[in-house]
Amino acid sequence: MTLKDLANAVVPHLEHDKEYYLNKYPMREGVVTRFAPSPTGFLHTGSLYMALINYKIAHDADGVFYLRIEDTDTKREVEGSIDTIVSMLKEFGIEFQNDPTYAPYKQSERADIYNAFIYDLILNDKAYPDFVTEEELSSIRESQEKNGERIGYYGKYAVGRSLSIDKMIENINSGIPYVVRAKSSGDFNRKFKFKDLLRGEIEFPENDFDTVIRKRDGLPTYHFAHAIDDTLMHTSIVIRGEEWLNSVPVHRDLFYLLGFKMPKYMHISSILKASEDGTHRKLSKRKDPEASVSFLLEKGYPKKGFINYLLVLANSKYENNMTDSYKLDFKNFSINGSTFDILKLDNVCKEYIHSLSVDDLYAEAYDYASKYDKELMDLINRDQNLFKQILSFEHNPQPRKDYAMYSEIKSKIYYFYNDLFDSVEYEELDIDRDLVKKALDLVLESDFNLDGDSWVASLKEASEAIGFAKNKKAKEALGLTYMFGDFMKILRVAICKKNESFSIYDVIKLIGIEEAKERINKYLKK
Ligand code: GLU
């Protein structure tokens, strides 16, 4: 029996051979990147980050970014997750271009392609079916441990290699389960230099393990599919998580056996999280709510604001120029990983929300409410114009940057709605009661028909006589305890219940002078 018989036994049926596939997919010019998720559940912040960096780097170079679904681990696959990933990417504006020329993009539909190369490797004595059992593998490991040797399937320990072709074919014919392994060409005592676009030159020992390339279930391993797919799809830069860095020797070995040229690589550090003790660990799907993209969307963080924040994490300089024209610079990437900071996320999102037109802000808040927040939706639907007008206060007169996320809106605008106003408690004031009364009487007597600035100026003028200093100098000269700021605080608490509101004049105009007076009187009676 020959290697050809063996190849036929391992791959009994092929639609096309290796040459066909090598010729089928035309070379691509320029930058080609990809996001290659496994459909194992919802989109994590870390995966969105990876997709975004791949997308952005292709986009910056007018290149191609595509999506490949790595669904070769059927046990871990979660139903519906491909749809979730696709729709999330779209929602976040991460557009992928899956040119049909290079299809299929789902690994489970590429079995014939992988088999064509496996067939060829076996034919050329570069791969073999291996029937080694779990028990045999454990006993190999045990003896390696006992002898203080490197653990792994290599050299004399790669026992499956030495089976005769006849025996291999006989085993296959009698239905014994097996994997296919590549026959490593490496020597562990030889080193090679690998260039990572981010990390520079790294030295590795060559791989000498016989790597599994096809599992018992007939599907390829990640390593093999990576070599085949990124070659045939002409990925120019493989941008992936740092956890794959240690697999570089295996990949180099496989590319060599297949006669392929390796693409460029960029291994991205994971997003970190600061622990209470000051150390940093990887953002964890289990421990950190912010690791879940849907959690952040439910909180109402704007999608583009969140994307901006992820770009800041990738390249801190992006913060100074948050525009589409900013190009991610490899030199500015942090190699040790950036730390997720929720306060920073808030600030970046505040900036973003503030940069929207009132119409766009309304549209985004509406979209959020319709998906996640029924109470806010009801509030908007009570009077859409009123809601829009309230939103416009965020934008003027001075930049205020009130909202980091859409779920915060309700808690900042309740006092425009009488029933919500009634449901909130007054903030305590630490000011003499008589003085509070005098201040509010002064407001009741004021001329509300003045424009906002004149009205405030008139109150400032008049309030000094009852004990609120116009400025520091007056405070000292007149020996007063309170400043005009305290006067305004009283007014805000009376009308909004809290010492925090939009311009109180705007508030009064919107709720109406009569309602404002009523609230003041109610507070006076209290
Ligand atoms: N499916 C792999 C993962 O989810 C992809 C890694 C890569 O980008 O090559 O980790």
Side-chain angles (χ1 to χ4, degrees):
M1 295 263 188
T2 62
L3 284 171
K4 185 154 189 191
D5 298 315
L6 183 60
N8 281 322
V10 173
V11 183
H13 173 76
L14 261 191
E15 254 158 66
H16 299 288
D17 65 4
K18 160 193 133 171
E19 290 309 321
Y20 169 87
Y21 287 117
L22 282 176
N23 292 323
K24 184 174 177 198
Y25 307 104
M27 193 55 209
R28 305 210 236 206
E29 295 300 321
V31 172
V32 180
T33 65
R34 85 298 192 272
F35 175 47
S38 305
T40 51
F42 293 101
L43 197 60
H44 303 292
T45 297
S47 337
L48 183 64
Y49 180 66
M50 198 58 67
L52 176 65
I53 292 172
N54 271 286
Y55 162 77
K56 180 78 175 128
I57 284 176
H59 187 77
D60 286 352
D62 267 333
V64 173
F65 164 72
Y66 69 87
L67 171 68
R68 183 171 71 227
I69 302 294
E70 306 216 317
D71 55 346
T72 56
D73 190 347
T74 35
K75 275 193 240 90
R76 285 178 58 225
E77 189 161 337
V78 174
E79 218 188 294
S81 44
I82 298 181
D83 290 343
T84 315
I85 292 168
V86 168
S87 67
M88 281 278 197
L89 291 180
K90 290 208 167 129
E91 276 199 57
F92 280 96
I94 300 178
E95 288 159 33
F96 49 86
Q97 289 167 272
N98 282 17
D99 181 341
T101 316
Y102 300 91
Y105 286 90
K106 249 168 103 172
Q107 290 183 330
S108 57
E109 293 168 10
R110 298 172 64 78
D112 195 62
I113 305 179
Y114 304 123
N115 278 331
F117 287 89
I118 286 178
Y119 185 93
D120 187 73
L121 288 175
I122 293 180
L123 198 61
N124 289 292
D125 201 19
K126 293 177 180 172
Y128 61 96
D130 187 13
F131 305 87
V132 73
T133 60
E134 287 304 326
E135 293 71 45
E136 285 169 300
L137 286 174
S138 327
S139 89
I140 292 174
R141 167 186 283 268
E142 272 165 32
S143 79
Q144 287 170 334
E145 272 167 1
K146 209 166 73 212
N147 302 334
E149 287 177 296
R150 253 184 330 122
I151 310 290
Y153 205 69
Y154 61 91
K156 65 174 190 219
Y157 294 112
V159 290
R161 263 196 196 208
S162 47
L163 221 60
S164 70
I165 295 179
D166 287 8
K167 184 71 188 155
M168 286 178 184
I169 294 175
E170 190 192 312
N171 279 354
I172 293 175
N173 289 340
S174 44
I176 300 181
Y178 65 96
V179 298
V180 179
R181 289 185 191 263
K183 264 191 185 169
S184 173
S185 65
D187 174 351
F188 184 73
N189 295 312
R190 260 199 322 252
K191 302 243 188 304
F192 71 95
K193 289 198 167 91
F194 168 79
K195 189 165 173 275
D196 184 272
L197 291 181
L198 209 58
R199 293 154 201 270
E201 212 167 70
I202 305 171
E203 204 172 62
F204 287 104
E206 286 183 3
N207 169 64
D208 63 351
F209 292 1
D210 282 358
T211 305
V212 175
I213 57 178
R214 197 176 86 177
K215 297 175 288 179
R216 291 212 167 102
D217 60 11
L219 291 168
T221 55
Y222 164 76
H223 306 302
F224 191 62
H226 154 53
I228 302 291
D229 294 346
D230 284 313
T231 300
L232 299 185
M233 294 177 175
H234 297 292
T235 309
S236 68
I237 313 178
V238 167
I239 303 169
R240 62 185 179 186
E242 63 187 341
E243 65 275 17
W244 295 112
L245 195 58
N246 288 336
S247 302
V248 162
V250 167
H251 298 162
R252 180 175 176 268
D253 197 15
L254 292 180
F255 274 79
Y256 175 79
L257 291 171
L258 287 159
F260 295 163
K261 185 172 171 288
M262 286 181 100
K264 295 192 175 106
Y265 288 88
M266 186 165 166
H267 290 91
I268 303 283
S269 306
S270 310
I271 300 177
L272 302 177
K273 166 100 186 178
S275 305
E276 265 149 36
D277 62 4
T279 57
H280 290 75
R281 57 169 173 81
K282 270 171 76 167
L283 195 64
S284 146
K285 292 172 212 167
R286 271 176 307 116
K287 291 188 214 145
D288 307 314
E290 65 270 42
S292 146
V293 173
S294 51
F295 169 82
L296 295 167
L297 289 180
E298 274 163 41
K299 289 278 273 182
Y301 282 106
K303 284 165 226 143
K304 184 70 174 60
F306 185 47
I307 288 288
N308 281 345
Y309 177 62
L310 291 181
L311 288 174
V312 169
L313 279 182
N315 252 204
S316 58
K317 292 212 167 110
Y318 177 68
E319 207 181 344
N320 310 324
N321 176 19
M322 292 201 212
T323 61
D324 248 15
S325 60
Y326 180 88
K327 290 194 194 318
L328 282 189
D329 186 346
F330 297 176
K331 286 199 297 290
N332 292 333
F333 265 84
S334 125
I335 296 181
N336 301 322
S338 305
T339 306
F340 197 99
D341 174 354
I342 206 98
L343 291 176
K344 185 97 195 175
L345 170 66
D346 283 5
N347 283 336
V348 172
C349 287
K350 277 184 181 171
E351 241 5 281
Y352 167 74
I353 288 183
H354 188 74
S355 76
L356 293 173
S357 69
V358 174
D359 283 343
D360 288 345
L361 170 54
Y362 176 83
E364 289 208 3
Y366 190 98
D367 181 60
Y368 164 74
S370 69
K371 287 187 185 132
Y372 302 107
D373 191 339
K374 185 168 177 322
E375 273 180 40
L376 181 61
M377 195 68 251
D378 291 344
L379 208 59
I380 297 174
N381 282 334
R382 279 194 206 180
D383 184 342
Q384 301 190 356
N385 282 329
L386 171 69
F387 185 70
K388 206 181 254 190
Q389 215 169 339
I390 298 171
L391 290 184
S392 75
F393 294 149
E394 201 274 344
H395 281 46
N396 62 61
Q398 299 106 5
R400 300 183 44 104
K401 303 180 186 155
D402 290 284
Y403 315 122
M405 56 193 112
Y406 295 116
S407 59
E408 276 181 347
I409 295 182
K410 261 180 318 196
S411 68
K412 301 203 171 184
I413 68 168
Y414 62 88
Y415 49 81
F416 289 105
Y417 300 88
N418 293 347
D419 54 330
L420 298 187
F421 173 81
D422 286 340
S423 68
V424 171
E425 295 294 323
Y426 284 105
E427 181 179 315
E428 287 296 331
L429 271 181
D430 192 14
I431 299 176
D432 184 63
R433 289 178 75 143
D434 284 344
L435 205 53
V436 170
K437 183 171 169 358
K438 276 189 198 159
L440 291 176
D441 282 341
L442 204 108
V443 176
L444 288 174
E445 284 154 20
S446 69
D447 182 0
F448 288 100
N449 292 319
L450 292 172
D451 70 75
D453 288 346
S454 316
W455 179 72
V456 172
S458 75
L459 290 176
K460 196 172 194 174
E461 206 46 54
S463 66
E464 202 162 77
I466 58 167
F468 297 92
K470 251 189 280 186
N471 51 40
K472 278 232 167 81
K473 227 167 113 195
K475 187 173 181 236
E476 275 166 31
L478 303 170
L480 297 175
T481 316
Y482 298 106
M483 302 276 295
F484 183 62
D486 299 306
F487 182 95
M488 293 305 272
K489 196 164 154 181
I490 297 171
L491 182 55
R492 272 194 293 269
V493 170
I495 291 185
C496 306
K497 293 208 167 159
K498 293 208 167 28
N499 174 30
E500 198 187 303
S501 75
F502 297 109
S503 142
I504 196 69
Y505 182 81
D506 286 341
V507 174
I508 292 173
K509 284 280 142 136
L510 201 65
I511 61 173
I513 296 169
E514 284 319 307
E515 172 67 19
K517 286 184 174 164
E518 212 168 287
R519 289 189 189 180
I520 292 175
N521 282 319
K522 201 170 176 183
Y523 189 65
L524 281 171
K525 278 197 208 111
K526 185 177 111 61

